[in-house]
């Protein structure tokens, strides 16, 4: 049982960087021959036990602004350091005078390629800034009320719980919406007070501010007010209810108000005609929320947390008409350009995303509905701002409930939600940056390192991440632009890349994480050995998945399957050992051995085979694919399967239908769902209640084991995966079967042993796929 | 309105969002509309008849007619007959009041017409003498003429007139003019020199026409004279004289009678002598001579009388005053004449015609002897018995006889208009309107014109068919409605069926008349909470008024309420019971508004009473710290409208500042106008027009959805009433204006206004249609309503009566759909004199008033003033020319029925709407207030009532706690007195500077005039004076259905100026005195004659 190779314990290490190629081809031509693009998956604020936090401001190179790092050459006598990127000589400032070979500052320790600085008053420095009290993050909750009573109750109780656990100083606002948007003024003591906006009218930020009475000059004042509230946070700070703090109050002050408000909040009162969908103006609600937050100071971290219960049918951002006989768009409609609302909605959310990014605010969407809610359209705004998204069937479902809880939790489980991240990349000469796939927005900061071709958020060396957390992961695509001459010189065998991530951590501090990595240049003309050794199969598979998804969205009529196949064949042709035209002679270096299987599973995955899913689901999967770390993303592509039986310890099993046995329990982790699958016999025993009999305690343990393991998986994951417990031949078993290699189908069912299972599909099995691959690879041109 | 079913809609062109009934007084706007008719020229003509009663100013009254010799009867010549005596101004008696009398005539026998004599103002002196002469008749006119005519005249005047009349009157007959138009004076004056005397004489003349009328009805015209009556009324004194004169005349008159005068005329003879006159006071005299009896008073006066022969009666009496004019002041030519005579140069102000109000209650039967009975004066206290025609409260016509041809009408210069107030409040002693339920089939209607069954539909063919009195079409009687006819040709069941014997009935509307369930009674309150409103206490006053008024709203599930406040945004409140506390919903977009909730904004009163009370108490404090000065009025009403759209209802808006933001926002254009003086008159008048069409467009939409807007303006500044009142006008609402708002004295009025507004009898989603007999078509509608389809009515008529039917389809507050049908059938006449005799001054003036009001915004002020004056001049000229030809040109001759026209016209010219010096808002408000004003309120608005109150406890009053009014002349104001002046809206109490401290203490609890407060709240102290004052004020409030804005005034400050600006008889920098005005009018007439 050749189990998939488990990731090494900590492949990312303190750097948090994984690259498809750890040894880089030196020329563009060589690079393109490598088939798999040179890309790095970085986890900008990865927590690590060894990470040092330095309480001072970093030294920067005066020409390229890169930060002092272990790879700098330091002349201790002259107190000079040489920047490895631009070779600029920089003097150490006065307070570094005491450094010496034996007295290195932490940032020069070779063991610390990543180091973090705490920066007082990062982005601005208002005179009255009080470093003792960090600015409070803002949580603006948006609740859809076009739901059935039961769902609304679930959502409300989730909100109440969330508000209960927010830090006292967190600023909280609340907006509910249905046919209209209701912005609740929490700071009005007399009675519940609500600003109502019509759902059908798009409002610009200025209009919103003006209508809140926060316009122009008022807005400025309000901004200052907030800062004060943030900075000094004195609720009693009487500046009265003129500014935005009418709407945003510290959690400790408004919890009671909000709870009673939620108690009274009912479902939307606007009538829904029979045969129609409820009129729901999600777009305007988000627009108003963004506008409202616009009155707060730029630089104040803020999240818009939207709980959406259905499709937007009214106003900007509508995805479907209110007529129920009009179905929501499908992938087919999108392909045929038959989704009349799609483009307009996308445009709306693009603009909204831009606005939020410019304000530095995050949009999180929690969608719970049986129907689609428009995640596909909102994706752009969510992803650009680094927002979170959870798609569930119901607000009562654990996928939503537990995920939602996680956001606000502290401690071990915490997501480490941070705000206002900015990523800058410095890299050695000859390295160009094409762009980033992942939750960020290009800041359009031009520089010599900007490549001509763009992938994702490109044309820049700096990116904005309004929201980021411990797991946030970005994929940076590099290009090598080496001219022939630099090639010949061969002077410098190593390359450096430095990632500078500044952000506001969840505790309000402003941090700068500096990660400097180095890799080798290899001259592939000499041989591919070095290249091969530097290949990271998992990273490569994930990068290919992300790139394929991106191309599917961006390029019309892009045939992802063929594209993957072609690349796989080219890769095998290049790096395989074979005799021409002799498929049987084909062997692949172990460094590549898993890659074809990843590709096989990727081809069958929800990322490529979108037609089984709604556009919303696809968008959801892709958002997560793009923001999760490599190991998680790998699971999305190729789920892990563990088998439990009486005879052996739990062990990884082949992701193949042949792993199914009547006396086994299987645990499948496909990231979005975790499936516990009981073989027929096990299920029968369980149904007969043996586990409850003292003499069959072992059986009880066997039953329990996968559940425990599933909980371990679930506990660490966000969003919380759906847990499916099923039995062989049960209807829910499809969650497992869909992921297994169909080595046994109805066409060869007669060969199967009793107790095993078959999958009813015409898909090719892995074996067939590999056979073809070998044949094609060796015949290559 | 859209509501009405299609076919109904077609029928009812006028839509009201909302209708109220107000009592006589209230102005309720919507409720009251005048409709002007155009006569189609297909009528045949006829000779004229003249009636008259005029005031002769100056000597002569009717002198002879053209042809006829001067005076007397003989003159009568022309065939016409009836002597024209008219000259005199008989009517003294109730002139004003009764004048309408004419109507009476028409109604009945009419014609009588009493009095149109012109009264002369002649010089008094002469008068005295004259009398005799008159009697003789000598004098005809001349006397009057005195002024002009010179001396000769003098004496005779009074007499003359008569005689005169006799002579020419023929045509008209005249009415009774009783001699003196001035009756009043007479009476009183008797004493007075000129005036009186003169009159006295005349009076006589006026033959009593009534009598005749009664009897013959037709003859009336004849009459010469009203003689006596008029006089009679007057104090006895004169009468005597009069008689003499008249007496003769009458006789003369008779001729006329003979004549043709149509209907009326005939009787004359009879008339004369008889009755009327006699009875009447003066009777004696009148009687005598008279033989001329005819003259006796005119019918009118005594309406009642009329009918019956008993004529004399009541009414008559007073007229007297009118005549007063006489001797004009020197200046004018006429007068001068007079002067010469008498030697005096002055007109005795006491003899000028002035309104007299009778304090006793009149019983008015709408038809008597199968003839329409002219209604009593609108301002009098009367009880209507509906005997076929509808109550005059529901419909009044400017002329109680309908001219048969356009020529007659146009010659008269009067306009034919109908004032309709379908939901007018009845007198408490009147029978309630009967409700008739025809079941599934609905009311019986003419299949062609859709007119409703009424007492004038004629059943034929054993009751199997009926002829429509409006279009003349013959329909089959529905089977289950069939009934045999009695020997009199009426259905045997006519008296049991209200729709066949009552002028006003209500039909239960069937499903056909509804396009939806009757709407609930929805009251939506909208309160301004901008900084200004809060700080001046306006918001608190509004909230407290609303809070109190909630208790008065009808209980039950059909009563729904909602509330919203607004400043630069609009705040709605969710009052649903489930909520622990009201929820405030803010609509911040004032450019493009919407309603924040579909339901729960307007909830059943029973469900939200507590919430509402709590809310209303907290609103003023809640916004206490508001710094918002902007007010989004337009957006607020629009948003409220959207909330009410599904049901319709009343929107009550409390606004304190100029709408400055959002839809329909306005600029302070008044200030701009001031700074830009150069723009001149044209700009000034633009300020009286709506600034733009936004509000109008909105209002039309409101009306479509049955939303009626009432505005309570509690302001300290300019709010551009001209622009915002468009909303109330279009939706049938009303504007209440509190300027400058006082948190001390105004809240009580605000509360009372609001309370009356929501609790008075009213109807919703109403559609009205007026139909009339063939030959008449509706030309124009005035009033507060939304006119959807311009409609002309052109229906055939038969018979000598012309009918009007007003059908109002509406929903009562209790949710029943009803059709209130009022039918008025009036006699037709071809005689001009009849028109004058049957003219209804109050109604005519009310029409003039609203026409003037509608003109003001669009025409230069000078032009409007001139137009108003011309209306008066043209009518008088027409009368002078065609009905009083015999009188000398030196006399100003006033038809009895219209003798107060000059006074009212003068008052109108001095009213705030026609003054250039007023604030723009005040004028706009006036315009707005006037246009829906009911007749009984129109008169006092322009010519307020003033009474003395310092001597309240000395007076013994019979029925009414209100003492008789005193003339509006500063000469009558003494420094020791305290005067109360009211016009139905404001009530000024003027305290003379030398009033005894004791009285001050009793009334106001202050010891010196210096302590008079700026803001006054009437209190009741424990002393008889104070109690009486309170009784008086309460009685006025009851009569006017208005709480009145009380204000104390004293000489020497601005409050005193305000008070004196109401003294319409005074000469002011911008206006003539009453006497001067009469002279002016006379001159104009003279120049026209020449």
């Amino acid at each position: 049982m050749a189990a998939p190779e488990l990731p090494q314990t900590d492949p990312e290490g303190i750097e948090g960087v994984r690259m498809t190629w750890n040894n880089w081809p030196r020329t563009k031509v060589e690079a393109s021959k490598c088939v798999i693009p040179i890309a790095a998956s970085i986890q900008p604020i990865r927590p690590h036990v060894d990470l040092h936090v330095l309480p001072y401001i970093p030294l920067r190179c005066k020409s390229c602004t890169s930060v002092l790092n272990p790879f700098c050459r330091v002349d201790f006598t002259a107190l000079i350091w040489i920047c490895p990127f631009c070779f600029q000589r920089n003097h150490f400032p006065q307070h570094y005078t005491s450094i010496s070979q034996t007295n290195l500052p932490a940032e020069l320790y070779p063991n610390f390629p990543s180091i973090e600085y705490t920066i007082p008053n990062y982005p601005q420095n208002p005179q009255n800034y009080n470093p003792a009290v960090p600015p409070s993050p803002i949580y603006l909750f948006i609740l859809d009320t076009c739901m059935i009573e039961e769902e609304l109750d679930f959502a409300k109780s989730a909100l109440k719980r969330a508000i209960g656990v927010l830090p006292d100083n967190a600023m909280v606002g609340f907006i509910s919406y249905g046919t209209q948007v209701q912005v609740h003024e929490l700071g009005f003591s007399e009675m519940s007070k609500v600003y109502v906006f019509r759902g059908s009218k798009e409002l610009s930020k200025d209009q919103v501010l003006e209508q809140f009475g926060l316009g122009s000059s008022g807005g400025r004042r309000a901004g200052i007010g907030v800062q004060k509230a943030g900075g000094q946070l004195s609720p009693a700070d009487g500046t009265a209810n003129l500014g935005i703090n009418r709407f945003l109050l510290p959690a400790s002050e408004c919890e009671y108000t909000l709870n009673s408000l939620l108690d009274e909040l009912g479902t939307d009162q606007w009538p829904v005609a029979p045969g129609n969908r409820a009129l729901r103006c999600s777009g305007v609600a988000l627009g108003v929320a963004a506008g409202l937050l616009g009155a707060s100071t730029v630089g104040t971290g803020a999240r818009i947390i939207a709980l959406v219960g259905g499709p937007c049918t009214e106003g900007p951002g509508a995805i479907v008409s209110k007529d129920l006989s009009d179905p929501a768009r499908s992938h087919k409609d999108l392909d045929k350009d038959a989704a009349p609302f799609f483009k307009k909605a996308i445009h709306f959310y693009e603009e909204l995303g831009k606005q939020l990014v410019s304000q530095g605010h995050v949009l999180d969407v929690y969608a719970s509905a049986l129907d689609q809610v428009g995640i596909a359209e909102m994706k752009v705004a969510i992803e650009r701002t680094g927002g979170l998204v959870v798609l569930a069937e119901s607000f009562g479902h654990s996928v939503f409930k537990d995920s939602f809880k996680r956001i606000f939790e502290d401690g071990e489980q915490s997501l480490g939600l941070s705000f206002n991240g900015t990523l800058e990349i410095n890299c050695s000469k000859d390295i160009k940056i094409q762009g980033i796939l992942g939750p960020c927005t290009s800041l359009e900061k031009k520089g010599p390192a900007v490549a001509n071709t763009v992938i994702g958020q490109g044309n820049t060396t700096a990116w904005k991440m309004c929201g980021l957390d411990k797991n946030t992961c970005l994929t940076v695509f590099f290009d090598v632009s080496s001219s022939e001459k630099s090639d010949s010189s061969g002077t410098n065998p190593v390359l450096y890349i430095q990632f500078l991530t500044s952000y506001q951590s969840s505790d309000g501090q402003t941090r700068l994480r500096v990660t400097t990595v180095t890799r080798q240049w290899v001259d592939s003309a000499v041989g591919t050995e070095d290249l091969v050794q530097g290949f990271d199969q998992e990273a490569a598979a994930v990068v290919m998945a992300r790139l394929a998804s991106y191309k599917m969205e961006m390029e019309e009529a892009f045939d992802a399957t063929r594209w993957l196949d072609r690349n796989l064949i080219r890769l095998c042709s290049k790096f395989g050992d074979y005799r021409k035209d002799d498929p049987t002679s084909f062997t692949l270096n172990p460094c590549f051995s898993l890659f074809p299987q990843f590709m096989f599973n990727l081809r069958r995955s929800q990322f490529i085979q979108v037609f089984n899913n709604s556009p919303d689901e696809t968008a959801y999967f892709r958002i997560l694919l793009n923001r999760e770390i490599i190991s998680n993303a790998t699971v999305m592509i190729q789920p892990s399967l563990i088998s439990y039986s009486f005879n052996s310890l739990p062990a990884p099993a082949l992701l193949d239908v042949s792993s199914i046995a009547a006396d086994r329990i299987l645990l499948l982790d496909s990231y979005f769902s975790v499936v516990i699958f009981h073989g027929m016999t096990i299920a029968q025993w369980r149904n007969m209640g043996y586990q409850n009999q003292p003499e069959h305690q072992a059986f009880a343990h066997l039953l329990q084991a996968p559940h425990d393991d599933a909980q371990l998986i679930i506990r660490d994951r966000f969003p919380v995966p759906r847990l499916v417990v099923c039995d062989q031949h049960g209807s829910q078993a499809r969650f497992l079967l869909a992921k297994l290699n169909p080595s046994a189908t109805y066409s060869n069912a007669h060969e199967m042993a009793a107790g095993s299972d078959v999958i009813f599909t015409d898909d090719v099995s892995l074996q067939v796929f590999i056979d073809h691959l070998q044949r094609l690879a060796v015949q290559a041109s | 309105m859209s509501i009405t079913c299609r076919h109904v809609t077609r029928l009812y062109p006028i839509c009201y969002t909302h209708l109220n009934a107000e009592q006589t007084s209230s102005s309720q706007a919507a409720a009251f509309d005048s409709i002007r008719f155009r006569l189609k020229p297909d009528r045949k003509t006829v000779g004229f008849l003249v009636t008259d009663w005029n005031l002769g100013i100056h000597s002569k009254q009717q002198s002879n007619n053209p042809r006829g010799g001067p005076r007397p009867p003989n003159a009568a010549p022309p065939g016409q007959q009836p002597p024209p005596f008219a000259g005199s101004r008989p009517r003294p008696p109730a002139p004003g009041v009764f004048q309408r009398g004419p109507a009476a005539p028409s109604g009945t026998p009419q014609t009588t017409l009493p009095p149109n004599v012109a009264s002369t103002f002649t010089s008094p002196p002469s008068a005295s003498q004259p009398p005799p002469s008159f009697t003789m008749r000598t004098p005809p006119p001349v006397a009057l003429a005195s002024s002009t005519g010179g001396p000769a005249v003098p004496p005779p005047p009074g007499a003359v007139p008569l005689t005169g009349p006799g002579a020419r009157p023929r045509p008209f007959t005249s009415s009774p003019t009783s001699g003196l138009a001035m009756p009043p004076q007479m009476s009183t004056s008797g004493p007075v020199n000129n005036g009186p005397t003169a009159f006295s004489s005349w009076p006589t003349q006026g033959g009593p026409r009534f009598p005749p009328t009664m009897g013959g009805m037709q003859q009336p015209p004849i009459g010469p004279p009203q003689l006596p009556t008029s006089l009679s009324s007057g104090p006895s004194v004169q009468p005597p004289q009069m008689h003499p004169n008249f007496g003769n005349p009458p006789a003369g008159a008779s001729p006329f009678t003979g004549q043709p005068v149509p209907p009326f005329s005939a009787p004359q003879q009879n008339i004369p002598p008889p009755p009327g006159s006699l009875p009447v006071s003066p009777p004696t005299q009148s009687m005598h001579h008279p033989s001329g009896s005819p003259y006796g008073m005119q019918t009118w006066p005594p309406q009642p009388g009329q009918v019956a022969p008993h004529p004399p009666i009541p009414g008559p009496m007073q007229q007297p005053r009118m005549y007063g004019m006489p001797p004009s002041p020197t200046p004018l030519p006429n007068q001068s004449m007079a002067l010469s005579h008498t030697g005096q140069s002055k007109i005795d102000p006491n003899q000028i015609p002035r309104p007299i109000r009778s304090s006793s209650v009149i019983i008015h039967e709408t038809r008597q002897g199968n003839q329409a009975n002219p209604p009593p004066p609108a301002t009098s206290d009367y009880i209507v018995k509906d005997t076929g025609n509808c109550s005059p409260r529901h419909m009044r016509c400017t002329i109680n006889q309908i001219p048969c041809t356009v020529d007659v009408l146009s010659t008269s210069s009067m306009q034919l208009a109908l004032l309709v107030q379908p939901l007018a409040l009845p007198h408490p002693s009147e029978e309630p309107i009967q409700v008739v339920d025809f079941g599934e089939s609905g009311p019986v209607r003419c299949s062609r014109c859709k007119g409703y069954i009424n007492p004038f539909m004629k059943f034929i063919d054993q009751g199997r068919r009926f002829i429509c009195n409006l279009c003349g079409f013959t329909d089959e009687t529905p089977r289950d409605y069939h009934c045999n006819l009695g020997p009199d040709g009426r259905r045997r069941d006519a008296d049991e069926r209200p729709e066949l014997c009552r002028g006003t009935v209500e039909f239960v509307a069937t499903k056909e008349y509804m396009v939806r369930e009757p709407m609930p009674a929805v009251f939506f309150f909208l309160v301004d909470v901008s900084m200004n409103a809060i700080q001046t206490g306006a918001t608190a006053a509004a909230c407290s008024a609303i809070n109190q008024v909630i208790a008065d709203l009808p209980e039950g599930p059909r009563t729904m309420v909602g509330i919203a406040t607004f400043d630069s945004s609009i705040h709605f409140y969710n009052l649903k019971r489930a909520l622990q506390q009201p929820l405030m919903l803010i609509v911040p977009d004032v450019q493009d508004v919407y309603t924040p909730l579909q339901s729960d904004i307007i909830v059943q009163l029973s469900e939200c009473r507590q919430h509402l009370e709590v809310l209303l108490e907290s609103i003023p404090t809640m916004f206490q710290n508001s710094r918002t000065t902007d007010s989004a009025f337009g957006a607020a009403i629009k948003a409220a409208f959207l909330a009410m759209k599904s049901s319709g209802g009343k929107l009550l808006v409390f606004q304190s500042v100029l709408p400055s933001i959002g839809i329909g926002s306005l600029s302070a254009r008044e200030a701009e106008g001031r700074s830009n003086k150069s723009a001149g008159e044209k700009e000034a008048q633009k300020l009286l027009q709506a600034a733009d069409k936004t509000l109008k467009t909105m209002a039309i939409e409101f009306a479509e959805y049955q939303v009626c807007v009432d505005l309570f303006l509690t302001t300290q500044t300019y709010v551009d009433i001209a622009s915002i009142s468009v909303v109330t006008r279009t939706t049938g609402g009303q504007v209440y204006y509190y300027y400058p708002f006082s948190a001390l004295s105004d809240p009580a009025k605000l509360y009372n206004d609001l309370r009356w507004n929501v609790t008075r009898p009213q109807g919703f989603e109403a559609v009205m249609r007026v139909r009339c007999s063939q030959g008449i078509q509706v030309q124009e509608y005035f009033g507060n309503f939304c006119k959807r389809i311009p409609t002309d009515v052109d229906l055939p008529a038969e018979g000598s009566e012309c009918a009007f039917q007003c059908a109002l389809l509406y929903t009562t507050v209790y949710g029943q759909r009803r059709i209130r049908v009022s039918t008025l059938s009036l006699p037709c006449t071809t005689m001009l004199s009849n028109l004058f005799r049957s003219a209804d001054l109050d109604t005519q003036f009310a029409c003039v008033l609203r026409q003037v009001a509608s003109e003001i915004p669009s025409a230069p002020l000078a032009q409007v003033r001139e137009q108003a004056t011309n209306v008066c001049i043209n009518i008088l000229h027409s009368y002078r020319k065609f009905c009083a030809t015999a009188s000398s040109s030196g006399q100003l001759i006033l038809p009895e029925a219209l003798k107060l026209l000059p006074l009212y016209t003068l008052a109108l010219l001095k009213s705030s709407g026609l003054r250039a010096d007023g604030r723009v808002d005040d004028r706009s408000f006036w315009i707005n207030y006037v246009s829906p004003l009911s007749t009984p309120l129109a008169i006092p608005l322009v010519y307020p009532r003033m009474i003395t109150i310092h001597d309240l406890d000395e007076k013994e009053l019979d029925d009414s706690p209100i003492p008789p009014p005193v003339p509006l002349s500063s000469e009558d104001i003494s420094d020791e007195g305290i005067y109360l002046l009211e016009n139905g809206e404001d009530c000024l109490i003027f305290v003379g500077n030398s009033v005894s401290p004791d009285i001050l203490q009793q009334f106001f609890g202050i010891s010196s005039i210096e302590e008079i407060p700026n803001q006054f709240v009437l209190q009741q102290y424990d002393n008889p004076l104070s109690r009486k004052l309170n009784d008086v004020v309460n009685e006025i409030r009851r009569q006017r259905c208005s709480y009145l804005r009380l204000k104390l005034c004293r000489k020497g400050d601005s409050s005193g100026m305000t008070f004196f600006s109401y003294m319409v008889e005074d000469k002011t920098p911008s206006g003539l005195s009453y006497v001067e005005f009469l002279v002016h009018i006379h001159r104009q007439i003279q120049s026209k004659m020449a």
Side-chain angles (χ1 to χ4, degrees), chain A residues 63 107-108 555 643 673 750 756:
Chain A
S63 81
E107 64 265 37
L108 290 177
E555 296 180 19
S643 143
S673 57
H750 54 280
S756 64

Side-chain angles (χ1 to χ4, degrees), chain B residues 127-145:
Chain B
S128 27
Q129 308 175 347
S133 51
F134 294 77
T135 352
M136 332 274 278
R137 89 237 331 202
T138 25
V142 192
L144 307 171

Side-chain angles (χ1 to χ4, degrees), chain B residues 165-315:
Chain B
R168 56 158 51 313
R170 355 123 73 277
F172 314 79
T173 342
S174 90
S175 29
T177 19
S178 36
L180 330 153
M182 349 244 314
Q185 299 184 323
M186 324 256 331
S187 31
T188 50
S189 55
V192 180
N193 327 329
N194 329 325
T197 42
F199 303 85
S200 350
S201 36
W202 324 38
T204 27
Q205 350 158 350
R209 355 45 183 283
F210 312 90
T213 32
M214 324 293 277
M217 331 304 285
Q218 343 313 55
Q219 321 199 338
I222 327 176
Q226 44 264 343
L227 359 107
T229 35
S230 349
L231 309 167
S232 47
S233 39
S236 46
V237 181
Q238 309 162 358
Q241 307 176 345
M242 321 280 290
H243 307 1
N245 307 315
F246 299 90
N248 307 324
S254 39
F256 300 85
T257 41
Q259 294 206 350
V261 177
F264 319 89
S265 44
Q268 295 194 318
Q269 315 139 350
N270 312 323
I271 313 182
S277 357
L278 315 169
V280 180
S281 44
T284 39
Q285 315 170 350
S286 0
M287 328 276 292
H288 341 30
H289 322 29
S291 29
S293 35
Y295 312 88
M297 333 281 298
Q298 10 283 106
T299 47
W300 336 73
Q303 308 244 325
Q306 280 193 342
V307 181
H310 344 18
I313 325 214

Side-chain angles (χ1 to χ4, degrees), chain A residues 235-271:
Chain A
D237 180 8
T239 47
N241 293 338
L242 290 178
I244 189 180
N245 37 4
R246 286 184 296 165
F247 301 98
L248 301 175
L249 258 69
S252 53
E253 284 177 43
C254 69
E255 184 175 350
Y256 174 78
T257 317
L258 260 177
N259 280 342
S260 55
L261 193 156
L262 284 169
D263 284 339
E264 285 192 350
L265 190 66
T267 56
D268 195 46
Q269 291 185 338
W270 289 85

